[in-house]
Amino acid sequence: MSTHQHLADDCIFCKIIKGQIPSYKLIETDKSFSFMDIDPLSPGHALVIPKYHAEFFHQVPDEYLADALPVAKRIAAASKLEQYNVLQNNGKLANQAVPHVHFHIIPKPNAEQGLGLTWKPIGMAKEDISELYEKVKKEL
């Protein structure tokens, strides 16, 4: 299904897409490839990767992104998950382990398994939020 365009020779996920490394493939489309994570945070942890090598989310063409989330949705539905996270990390500080954009579907069956996350709001002043809002909006 893949023409192997836009893939890197030295990327583990690109090698999985090309069939050079085996995987527990779930769904493959012209623009996405999904498989079970071999180092899962919980049973059923799966990945969806665009068939386009890019390290950061904002570098992936829209048509690849538009294909990936319906694939993630199908996996979540087929897995009959009651609670789960869909996660996408960008950069090492954000816990991105493989420098190829990928989406995790992580079942959250209990407090111990799945994604462990602590939400810590930083308490920004409304003026600072407004200033940042204006900067971002200007660039859109």
Side-chain angles (χ1 to χ4, degrees):
M1 221 179 230
S2 174
T3 61
H4 305 305
Q5 294 176 345
H6 312 295
L7 299 177
D9 292 333
D10 60 346
C11 169
I12 189 168
F13 284 175
C14 291
K15 289 178 180 181
I16 289 171
I17 292 167
K18 294 177 197 177
Q20 296 170 348
I21 296 174
S23 69
Y24 295 99
K25 180 170 69 170
L26 294 168
I27 299 170
E28 182 176 8
T29 69
D30 289 340
K31 295 188 172 26
S32 298
F33 191 97
S34 63
F35 54 99
M36 300 301 290
D37 195 310
I38 60 167
D39 194 19
L41 296 180
S42 57
H45 183 166
L47 300 172
V48 178
I49 57 177
K51 289 182 174 180
Y52 187 99
H53 182 80
E55 184 173 355
F56 297 99
F57 180 75
H58 66 274
Q59 298 170 332
V60 180
D62 289 350
E63 62 268 22
Y64 290 84
L65 296 175
D67 190 72
L69 285 183
V71 171
K73 178 182 173 182
R74 287 178 58 197
I75 293 167
S79 300
K80 302 196 183 322
L81 304 175
E82 290 185 25
Q83 298 186 57
Y84 58 96
N85 296 91
V86 177
L87 176 69
Q88 198 280 313
N89 301 323
N90 293 276
K92 289 182 181 182
L93 285 177
N95 295 310
Q96 183 181 16
V98 177
H100 182 122
V101 169
H102 54 287
F103 298 86
H104 296 262
I105 301 93
I106 309 168
K108 188 66 176 163
N110 55 53
E112 291 77 36
Q113 294 182 338
L115 183 64
L117 182 68
T118 302
W119 203 265
K120 299 178 186 177
I122 60 172
M124 262 180 97
K126 297 287 187 226
E127 303 82 40
D128 294 336
I129 295 170
S130 181
E131 183 180 326
L132 185 56
Y133 161 77
E134 292 299 334
K135 286 180 184 177
V136 172
K137 188 168 175 161
K138 183 179 175 183
E139 295 296 323
L140 292 175

